[in-house]
Amino acid sequence: QVQLVESGGGSVQAGGSLRLSCAASGRTFSWYHMGWFRQAPGKEREFLGAIGWSGGDTYLVDSVKGRFIISRDNAKNTVYLQMNSLKPEDTAVYYCAAAAPRFTVATMTKREDYNYWGQGTRVTVSS
């Protein structure tokens, strides 16, 4: 079992930045690929990107590429999502998730690829 707790959400104006953190406990964090998803009101949960177990492999979807950065610190059992140039359409609840490293991160884009989930942290971007 892996327990995940997100933090760092909040309210920000368009163009601003936030850094989300996801702290893990339980089984060996460094063994897992870590993904970030978000869910806006009335919409499906959307995959944003992922980082490989070693941190050497990252993938971001086109809609956030160039604005968001995923990183991890295995010594701290934490994965981060740095979000820059935020837009009102980035408003959502953001979730981190852990996945057994069966494939490359670029191919693990579905909810069912991930075994463990955090409770989410809310991000609100105002115009």
Side-chain angles (χ1 to χ4, degrees):
Q1 283 278 27
V2 175
Q3 292 79 41
L4 302 173
V5 179
E6 301 96 336
S7 62
S11 296
V12 64
Q13 289 194 324
S17 298
L18 283 174
R19 188 176 81 156
L20 306 184
S21 299
C22 172
S25 60
R27 298 186 66 178
T28 305
F29 171 74
S30 60
W31 188 75
Y32 291 91
H33 289 341
M34 297 298 297
W36 283 98
F37 291 72
R38 69 185 178 189
Q39 188 164 15
K43 294 190 175 182
E44 296 285 320
R45 193 167 297 189
E46 172 190 16
F47 172 76
L48 299 176
I51 185 166
W53 62 271
S54 70
D57 185 20
T58 60
Y59 175 77
L60 288 164
V61 298
D62 287 345
S63 62
V64 301
K65 195 178 297 182
R67 298 191 300 126
F68 291 8
I69 300 168
I70 297 177
S71 62
R72 68 190 294 164
D73 185 339
N74 285 344
K76 296 182 178 179
N77 287 357
T78 302
V79 62
Y80 304 97
L81 181 66
Q82 176 68 43
M83 305 188 295
N84 302 318
S85 302
L86 283 162
K87 305 174 182 179
E89 51 263 44
D90 293 318
T91 294
V93 177
Y94 284 70
Y95 300 89
C96 67
R102 295 173 295 160
F103 307 109
T104 62
V105 294
T107 61
M108 298 182 70
T109 64
K110 300 181 180 62
R111 290 183 65 169
E112 52 265 36
D113 292 329
Y114 291 81
N115 308 100
Y116 304 103
W117 292 82
Q119 83 292 346
T121 186
R122 186 174 301 276
V123 172
T124 302
V125 184
S126 57
S127 58

